[in-house]
Amino acid sequence: MLYCRWSSSPPLCSPITCGYPHVEDANAVIQKSSYNIEMSQGAQIGDQAKVVCAKNYQMLTNTSSTSVEAVDHVQVVCSSEGVWRTTYPYKCLNPTVIAKVT
């Protein structure tokens, strides 16, 4: 299915895309993606990518307002607004820092 943004007169439909998946944290990387980097039009709505922490870092997410959880990855999804979204915010921290925080 094609989702688009309409331009002004004369109206043109431009496909909504997200581009290459990005990460919010300098210590995170894209491990796996359904998005093909070679696709010149960009990631389509619903495409997913797996974000993991770089070697020697641990991912923490805020699964609720009072809970922090260590996880091995988060999924990001290309949204209908044309941006990559994740269910929970995440941070990649050095395990020694995590031990001091928790």
Side-chain angles (χ1 to χ4, degrees):
M1 176 178 277
L2 174 67
Y3 294 90
C4 58
R5 288 191 178 99
W6 291 98
S7 66
S8 57
S9 187
L12 297 172
C13 174
S14 299
I16 297 174
T17 62
C18 290
Y20 185 75
H22 68 278
V23 294
E24 300 170 3
D25 188 295
N27 297 312
V29 294
I30 300 296
Q31 181 183 52
K32 181 181 177 186
S33 175
S34 62
Y35 168 65
N36 181 349
I37 297 171
E38 305 305 318
M39 294 169 44
S40 61
Q41 73 269 26
Q44 302 297 305
I45 294 171
D47 283 348
Q48 298 181 10
K50 182 189 237 184
V51 179
V52 298
C53 289
K55 186 175 180 177
N56 299 323
Y57 286 85
Q58 173 66 56
M59 183 174 286
L60 294 180
T61 65
N62 289 17
T63 55
S64 71
S65 60
T66 59
S67 178
V68 174
E69 183 179 343
V71 296
D72 63 349
H73 73 277
V74 294
Q75 288 288 123
V76 291
V77 179
C78 179
S79 73
S80 60
E81 295 85 30
V83 294
W84 290 96
R85 302 256 187 234
T86 183
T87 307
Y88 304 112
Y90 63 89
K91 270 293 202 203
C92 292
L93 300 172
N94 184 303
T96 57
V97 173
I98 294 171
K100 292 177 185 176
V101 173
T102 56

